[in-house]
Structures are given as C-alpha cells and as structure tokens.
C-alpha cells in the first residue's frame, strides 16, 4: 500500500474517561470530510482504492479514531500508529480540541517525522483561518498556522484546511501517494500543491513556512453536495440514540444552509461564521436521499435492527414550512421504515404545531430544543427570540412541552450556563427542569454545556484566545465538568466570569440525582402558572415575563 491513512477526531480534554454528556460513537464531521476519499476507496479508484481504506465499511472504520480524552485514548492512538504506519494523518478539531490535535500531530511526527503528512481540519481552522472582505487570507490569534510560524506551538501540522474538505481530502491522499512513490517526503506536500486551486469547494489551505504564513484559496466554488455520498454509506452506523427505541441512528443533513438561519452573537454556527449559504440542490431531496441511505445501510449491515436518523441541520430544514411540508409528502410516498429527529427553536415549534402532527405520522419522533436561561433580558437577548412580546420564555417552553407530549414526540434539551446568569438563576432553571420532567417526561435527555468563547473569524470581542492550552486545567475540574458536552475554565465568553468550582459541583450533584434519571410524567393537574410560580418562589429568583432565549445546541446533537 503506497497510501496509508489514519483519521482522528481530536479530544477536547486531557483528563477523564468520558462523561454522560450526549455523544455519538460516529464522528459525523470527520466522516463528512473524509467521505469522498472513502467512496474512492470503496470503488477501487486511484491510490485510495489500494490503500488501507479499501474493503468493507467495518474495515474502513478501523482506521478512524474518535478520542474522548487524551488520558483515556492515548494508548489507542499509539496502537493505531504502530499498526497502520500512516503516511497521511487527518485530524479534525473544534477549538477546545486544538491541544488534543497538537498532541496527536506531535505523536505522529515522533513516530514518522517527514514520512507522514499531518493535515488539520475541522471547525477550529475554519473559524481561525478566513478571508477578509477583499479575499485576503487572515489569521485569528488562535490560527494554528500563525502559532506555528511564531513558534508558539511546534510545527506538527504540515497542512491546515479551513472550509469544505471533502474533495480536498481525496486529492491530498492521491498527492501523498504520488510523493511517496517518488521517494519525496509526504511532509513536504505543501511544496507540491500545483493544481490544487481547481479542487472543488470553498476552502483555504494554509501552512507555516519558517516564520511566515502561506496559503492558497480554492477557485471553483462550493462542492456539489447533491453528488456527495452520505457518510453512513461508506463508514456505516454505530450510533443508537435512546430516543429511537433501539434503532441504529445515522447523522443526516439536508444542507439547506451552511449555518444557522439566526445569527446569535456567540454561537459558532451563526450564519456569519460560515462560508455562506448553500444554494445548490434541493434540501428536501438531499435529506430524503440520506435517510434512504441509512435504511439501506442498516438493512445490509445489521439484519435484526431498524434505522433512525438525527437531522444535523441547525434547525430542521431551516424551519421552512414549505420544506417541511415537502418532506412530509416525499416520506408519505416512499413509506420508508425510519424514525427521525432534529432541532427546532421554541418559537418555530409554536408556529408549526399542525405541521409537526403530520411530520410525526411520517417518522418524526424527537425534537431537540435550547433551554438556556430563565431571564434572557439580563444577558442581552438573542436574534432567534422572535416572540418575546407574546409570552415569557418559561411559558413558551412549557407550551412546547405540552404540544410535543400531546403529539407523542419526544423532546430533549440543551442547557447552556456561563452566559452571565447568576447561580440563583441556574438553580431555578434546574428546579424548573425537574418539575417539567415530572409532568411531561421531558426534556429528556438534557445536554449540559458551559458557554465557551469561539474565534468567530475575529468577531470575538477582542478575546483573542489561542486555545493551545487544555480547556480544563486539572483532574478536579475535569471531574466537575465530566457530564458537560462543552466547558472551559480559561475560555469564558468575553466579559463573563469563569466558572466557580463549588457552583459547578453543586450543579453536577443536582443533575446526577435528578436530571440524569429517566423522567416519569405524572397526572398532576395544577396550572402552568402555578407550576412556574412555585419554582420561582422557592429559588428566591424573580423571572421577568418579557422574553425568550432559545438557542440551537451547537455541540450536543448526539
């Protein structure tokens, strides 16, 4: 094998063995970035067809590593490096994963030096290496390329990719194989990029040359997403979300837009933080095509299982009533045996109750909503707060739970602390969640997160964090945040205070005892107003009946 590739989803923490936060054994973003390469390998095309990725889906997954923590998964990485002896290592990283990505790249270089090309991609490079209004490449303080050029971090990445990587990944594998065949060091790929400008996709390829940053920008525009293979078709499915009664769960996408239709100021999925809207193709057909692939893959690989899917859109088909009704018609015609879930905001659900009934009839079993704060006015508001003049946030969210319970649609929720709320407000929100879970059996499950400042292509209010240090600095902090999907002690939102250990421990204790258990709805008939008033009065916190603060959970869809 001339080409030997290893793909890694980098860990976001050093300590720990993985908590109970919502997660999936299928690294969906990494799979997406590698899916064209995987398709070529499955069809015996070029160097990928003769690589260690050729063969079955099961065999291909053996060359992909999802790391939860460095402490837990370092031995697995060492073993794979020794077994595969890769000359191409592909690493995907979010911002909190940058230290983990550096550790992975360093380990690969320790083993193989210039015999391996290490490529970093993912959400963090896409936020920290970007184009300005004039089309020039810019680097945030946290850009791995900038930090390598300045000597702040070791030169462990030979290539850094910002943006769409599907076609680039396949191209780079072919080029690495060509270099290896000619006895040229794979690590020197950045010196052999002729022709790369014509690779499809909205991307930037950057690298450090001595103390300078260098880069090239794609010229062909966006990838034709209607032609991209669904990732489950080439990597299979191992996830099984509890909301789908034992069915295997695929991560699927409509590609209706590259970012959330809203533009909340701190969210890394805000539309202004992406490469722009996706316009090619029919999003409903894209989604149904991926659902069909999930059904087919489960039938082929798991004879005694059935299929489900979670739609990874920021909001399901952008919440478009036209698209949602088109999805209903298409699924009615196909009569697929699939159950699915997705994300909608509280206000979108309230405005689409009639559509949700029809969606449930064709397979919608689960919706995930943002449950962020009881008093959004104290935090500056959110762009997706579209009905704040009608009812309070707490009343609206309970109406959503009532509607979904009546429709027999499950409801999960994401809680995001660290936005500037008081600890009293957090306690009051947890009390309210307990009351709702007792009454409606929802929200369940609950994803806990502590707000982290992201690079946001420089729109980070001057925070200029470099993210090269682990987000949780000790085992004690790692244990306190074990059940949080995203959290940091050193990267709080700009202008917000970092978490307090005693307060986080109190939250953990409370959630362990109450929110982690399966909720049991009761038949209590007391009024919504009395229920809300009770939890507010016992907490000593007064809610303001003026606004909504629903956000889409950006890192907790599994």
């Amino acid at each position: 094998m001339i080409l030997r590739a290893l793909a890694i989803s980098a860990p976001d923490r050093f300590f720990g063995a993985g908590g109970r936060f919502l997660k999936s054994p299928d690294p969906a973003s990494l799979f997406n970035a590698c899916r064209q390469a995987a398709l070529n390998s499955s069809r015996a095309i070029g160097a990928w067809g003769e690589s260690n990725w050729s063969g079955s889906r099961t065999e291909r997954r053996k060359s992909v590593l999802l790391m939860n923590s460095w402490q837990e998964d370092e031995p697995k990485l060492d073993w794979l490096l020794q077994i595969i002896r890769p000359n191409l290592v592909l690493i995907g990283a979010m911002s909190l994963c940058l230290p983990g990505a550096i550790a992975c790249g360093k380990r690969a270089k320790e083993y193989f030096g210039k015999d391996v090309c290490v490529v970093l991609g993912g959400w963090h490079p896409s936020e920290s290496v970007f184009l300005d209004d004039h089309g020039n490449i810019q680097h945030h303080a946290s850009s791995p390329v900038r930090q390598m050029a300045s000597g702040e971090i070791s030169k462990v990445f030979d290539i850094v990719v910002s943006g769409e990587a599907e076609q680039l990944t396949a191209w780079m594998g072919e080029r690495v194989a060509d270099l290896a065949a000619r006895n040229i060091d794979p690590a020197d790929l950045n010196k052999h990029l002729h022709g790369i400008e014509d690779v499809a996709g909205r991307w930037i390829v950057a690298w450090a040359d001595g103390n300078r940053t260098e880069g090239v920008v794609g010229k062909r525009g966006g990838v034709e997403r209607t032609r991209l293979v669904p990732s489950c078709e080439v990597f299979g499915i191992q996830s099984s979300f509890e909301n789908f009664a034992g069915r295997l769960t695929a991560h699927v996408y409509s590609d209706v837009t590259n970012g959330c239709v809203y533009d909340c100021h701190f969210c890394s999925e805000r539309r202004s933080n992406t490469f722009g809207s996706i316009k090619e193709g029919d999003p409903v057909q894209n989604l149904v095509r991926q659902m069909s692939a999930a059904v087919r893959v489960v039938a082929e690989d798991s004879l005694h299982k059935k299929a489900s899917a979670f739609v990874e859109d920021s909001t399901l088909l952008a919440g478009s009533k036209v698209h949602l009704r088109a999805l209903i018609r298409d699924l009615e015609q196909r009569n697929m045996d699939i159950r699915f879930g997705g994300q909608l905001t509280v206000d979108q659900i309230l405005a689409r109750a009639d559509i949700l009934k029809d969606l449930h009839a064709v397979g919608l079993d689960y919706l995930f909503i943002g449950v962020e704060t009881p008093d959004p006015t104290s935090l500056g508001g959110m762009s997706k707060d579209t009905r704040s003049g009608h009812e309070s946030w707490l009343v609206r969210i309970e109406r959503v739970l009532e509607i979904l319970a009546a429709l027999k649609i499950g409801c999960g929720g994401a809680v995001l602390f660290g936005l500037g709320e008081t600890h009293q407000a957090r306690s009051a929100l947890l009390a309210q969640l307990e009351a709702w879970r007792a009454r409606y059996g929802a929200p369940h499950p609950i994803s806990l997160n502590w707000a982290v400042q992201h690079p946001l292509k420089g729109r980070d209010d001057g925070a200029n964090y470099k993210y090269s240090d682990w987000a949780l600095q000790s085992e004690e902090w790692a244990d306190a945040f074990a059940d949080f999907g995203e959290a940091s002690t050193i990267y709080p939102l700009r202008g917000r205070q970092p978490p307090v250990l005693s307060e986080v421990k109190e939250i953990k204790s409370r959630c362990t005892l109450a929110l982690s258990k399966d909720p049991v709805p009761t038949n209590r008939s007391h009024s919504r107003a009395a229920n809300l008033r009770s939890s507010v009065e016992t907490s000593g916190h007064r809610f303001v009946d003026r606004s909504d603060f629903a956000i889409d959970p950006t890192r907790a869809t599994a």
Side-chain angles (χ1 to χ4, degrees):
M1 297 179 185
I2 296 178
L3 176 62
R4 302 177 305 279
L6 171 62
I8 305 167
S9 180
D12 66 341
R13 54 191 71 192
F14 182 90
F15 302 101
R20 291 170 296 181
F21 54 87
L22 299 185
K23 57 185 177 181
S24 166
D26 294 328
S29 295
L30 185 64
F31 281 169
N32 283 341
C34 297
R35 55 183 156 171
Q36 185 62 51
L39 181 64
N40 291 353
S41 73
S42 70
R43 294 181 175 177
I45 296 174
W48 285 102
E50 299 177 351
S51 73
N52 60 311
W53 284 34
S54 63
S56 67
R57 289 185 278 256
T58 300
E59 286 298 313
R60 191 171 302 119
R61 287 185 73 115
K62 294 179 181 178
S63 297
V64 179
L65 175 62
L66 170 62
M67 301 183 71
N68 294 308
S69 75
W70 182 257
Q71 183 183 61
E72 177 186 21
D73 294 318
E74 179 188 8
K76 300 176 189 176
L77 174 62
D78 279 336
W79 185 81
L80 284 173
L81 288 171
Q82 293 173 56
I83 293 296
I84 297 172
R85 300 191 62 80
N87 52 13
L88 176 63
V89 171
L90 304 162
I91 304 174
M94 294 161 46
S95 290
L96 296 192
C97 301
L98 182 58
I102 294 169
C104 292
K106 182 179 180 182
R107 185 59 52 87
K109 289 298 184 182
E110 288 172 349
Y111 272 103
F112 306 115
K114 293 183 72 64
D115 289 333
V116 63
C117 177
V118 178
V119 179
L120 176 68
W123 207 257
H124 180 69
S126 297
E127 283 195 59
S128 60
V129 182
F130 53 94
L131 299 179
D132 63 19
D133 293 338
H134 304 289
N136 299 313
I137 299 174
Q138 299 295 323
H139 294 270
H140 183 266
S142 64
S143 161
V145 181
R146 177 174 174 175
Q147 294 190 72
M148 287 190 296
S150 66
E152 293 172 280
I153 64 174
S154 302
K155 292 185 177 178
V156 295
F157 308 123
D158 301 300
I159 293 285
V160 174
V161 175
S162 169
E164 298 170 327
E166 292 94 341
Q167 301 296 342
L168 271 178
T169 301
W171 185 93
M172 287 187 293
E174 297 292 338
R175 185 56 56 90
V176 164
D178 176 66
L179 296 179
R182 294 190 285 140
N183 292 318
I184 299 173
D185 293 332
D188 288 334
L189 175 62
N190 55 40
K191 300 176 183 176
H192 300 272
L193 297 178
H194 48 278
I196 196 173
E197 297 95 334
D198 294 325
V199 176
R202 289 165 287 199
W203 52 259
I204 303 166
V205 165
W207 63 94
D209 184 0
N211 60 2
R212 303 192 316 275
T213 62
E214 300 288 349
V216 60
V217 181
K219 295 179 179 178
R220 283 191 55 185
V223 173
E224 292 185 53
R225 295 186 173 270
T226 54
R227 297 189 179 185
L228 288 173
V229 64
S231 61
C232 68
E233 199 164 297
V234 288
F235 288 108
I237 305 170
Q238 288 187 356
S239 294
S240 183
F241 292 10
E242 63 176 284
N243 306 80
F244 300 123
R247 291 173 177 249
L248 291 176
T249 309
H251 299 262
V252 299
Y253 302 77
S254 74
D255 290 323
V256 65
T257 176
N258 257 342
C260 182
V261 294
Y262 300 102
D263 204 33
C264 300
H265 65 91
F266 65 84
C267 178
S268 62
E269 288 196 7
R270 58 192 290 188
R271 62 175 181 265
S272 62
N273 194 47
T274 68
F275 275 69
S277 297
I278 299 172
K279 298 179 181 179
E280 59 270 16
D282 181 334
V284 175
Q285 290 305 307
N286 285 346
L287 182 54
V288 172
R289 180 173 64 95
Q290 296 205 20
M291 287 182 172
S292 298
V295 172
R296 183 170 60 254
V297 168
V298 171
E300 292 171 356
D301 293 354
S302 306
L303 296 179
H304 303 293
K305 294 283 188 177
K306 293 185 177 182
S308 62
F310 191 86
V311 185
E312 297 286 355
D313 297 351
S314 296
T315 57
L316 179 60
L317 288 166
S320 164
K321 294 182 178 180
V322 172
H323 288 335
L324 292 173
R325 292 200 179 280
L327 177 62
I328 293 167
R329 291 193 297 270
D330 202 316
L331 291 177
E332 284 176 338
Q333 293 171 3
R334 292 174 183 263
N335 195 31
M336 280 191 291
D337 185 4
I338 190 168
R339 313 306 296 179
F340 66 95
Q343 299 178 120
L344 286 174
T345 68
V346 166
D347 290 343
Q348 285 174 332
I349 292 172
L350 291 176
R352 292 158 179 79
D354 57 332
I355 297 177
L356 294 179
K357 179 180 179 180
D358 294 336
L359 278 169
H360 179 58
V362 295
L364 179 67
D365 275 353
Y366 173 53
L367 284 173
F368 201 75
I369 63 174
V371 185
E372 270 57 56
T373 180
D375 187 4
T377 57
S378 66
L379 307 176
M382 295 286 287
S383 68
K384 60 187 64 182
D385 174 16
T386 61
R387 298 168 67 89
S388 59
H390 296 75
E391 294 174 308
S392 76
W393 165 238
L394 289 178
V395 168
R396 276 181 285 167
I397 197 168
E398 185 158 359
R399 284 185 57 211
V400 163
L401 296 177
E402 287 179 330
I403 290 169
L404 296 182
L407 293 174
K408 294 182 170 57
I409 297 174
C411 180
V415 176
L416 185 62
F417 295 134
L419 296 172
E421 72 288 337
T422 65
H423 189 57
Q424 277 186 317
R426 295 174 204 138
S427 297
L429 183 55
L430 291 175
Q432 184 62 76
L433 289 171
E434 291 181 53
W436 282 333
R437 284 160 63 87
R439 173 179 280 190
Y440 305 107
H444 180 77
I446 290 175
S447 169
L448 296 171
N449 298 274
W450 200 281
V452 170
Q453 179 68 60
H454 292 272
L456 301 176
K457 295 185 176 180
R459 301 182 183 92
D460 61 349
D461 296 323
N464 285 326
Y465 296 140
K466 296 184 178 180
Y467 304 99
S468 53
D469 293 318
W470 292 99
L472 301 175
Q473 298 281 291
S474 69
E475 289 191 70
E476 187 175 29
W477 271 111
D479 179 68
F481 275 129
D483 296 334
F484 281 67
E486 182 179 69
S488 173
T489 58
I490 59 176
Y491 303 124
L493 293 182
R494 179 68 167 169
R496 305 304 186 194
Q497 293 299 310
V500 176
L501 184 59
S502 60
E503 295 177 350
V504 176
K505 284 183 175 181
E506 181 183 331
I507 292 171
K508 178 185 178 182
S509 175
R510 185 165 190 169
C511 292
T512 299
L513 292 173
L515 303 184
S516 63
K517 296 185 294 186
D518 288 342
V520 180
T522 68
N523 295 317
R524 284 178 291 177
S525 59
H526 56 280
S527 70
R528 177 193 302 118
N531 183 38
L532 295 179
R533 186 165 55 250
S534 174
S535 72
V536 172
E537 290 171 351
T538 57
S539 70
H541 184 82
R542 181 177 180 80
F543 292 105
V544 181
D545 186 12
R546 286 186 289 178
S547 60
D548 171 18
F549 196 61
I551 74 161
D552 293 320
T554 63
R555 296 289 175 247
T557 59

